[in-house]
Amino acid sequence: QLQLQESGPGLVKPSETLSLACTVSDGSISSSNFYWDWIRQPPGKGLEWIGSIYSSGSTYYNPSLKSRVTISVDTSKNQFSLKLTSVTAADTAVYYCARHLMSQLHSPWDYWGQGTLVTVSS
Amino acid sequence: SYVLTQPPSVSVAPGKTARITCGGNNIGSKSVHWYQQKPGQAPVLVMYYDGDRPSGIPERFSGSNSGNTATLTISRVEAGDEADYYCQVWDSSSDHVVFGGGTKLTVL
């Protein structure tokens, strides 16, 4: 059974860069034909899509975050990562990684990580 | 940008039918997915491509999509169905995901 696990600092200072990794178990990112995504949820609020990366490395980002977001794949570690620059308190959220059900961006996510809370505060 | 509108809350008595709507301009031309999220947990896919049910999701869950409204219907509602529900589409005109604001289903 595929498993996804987010990891990274739980506290980031304002104006700094948030960095998270999602480790994929029981499945290879490089040999798969899937999109891998980051989604976040501010406390008490709804879901917000951050972006997607294909196993080949092509990316799609939420236009509202595009200038600050980079998603990349590290096949040697079977991980994909998120970097969000110049963070503010508005970036405080639970961050989820997830995999699409099929090899199309319009497909839903069927596997999710448990989520990790990142707080932006000095 | 494309907007999906959900009612903030829906309340239903146990055993009755809950209908959660997701409104969007010509949403019937898009594929809609639905997620259930319980407190402190990651979302779970409960309906995809309008009306397909993932394995493990009870037959009490069904979905439809036409015109400007997609609907997730939960029949014979149980206490365990109490959760937040989110609709989601891929907006191909701008190449990004759009979520509805979420609906809190309360079982009375």
Side-chain angles (χ1 to χ4, degrees), chain B residues 24-95:
Chain B
N25 184 35
N26 197 25
I27 194 175
S29 67
K30 301 182 184 298
S31 295
V32 180
H33 313 307
W34 292 91
Y35 301 87
Q36 175 194 70
Q37 187 180 34
K38 296 182 178 179
Q41 298 183 18
V44 172
L45 181 66
V46 295
M47 196 65 55
Y48 65 105
Y49 290 119
D50 300 339
D52 288 341
R53 199 173 48 249
S55 60
I57 301 302
E59 292 183 6
R60 301 183 295 104
F61 286 76
S62 62
S64 64
N65 184 18
S66 178
N68 293 319
T69 304
T71 304
L72 176 70
T73 302
I74 309 172
S75 305
R76 303 181 299 283
V77 166
E78 302 174 356
D81 298 330
E82 189 163 282
D84 293 326
Y85 291 84
Y86 294 90
C87 59
Q88 176 250 314
V89 302
W90 173 258
D91 182 18
S92 57
S93 66
S94 56
D95 278 348

Side-chain angles (χ1 to χ4, degrees), chain A residues 41 45-47 49 60 63 96 101 105-109 112-113, chain B residues 33 35 37 41-43 45 48-49 86 88 90 95-97 99:
Chain A
Q41 185 172 34
K45 296 188 178 181
L47 299 167
W49 176 70
Y60 293 80
Y96 296 100
L101 175 67
L105 279 165
H106 57 68
S107 68
W109 301 286
W112 294 68
Chain B
H33 313 307
Y35 301 87
Q37 187 180 34
Q41 298 183 18
L45 181 66
Y48 65 105
Y49 290 119
Y86 294 90
Q88 176 250 314
W90 173 258
D95 278 348
H96 71 93
V97 169
F99 281 106

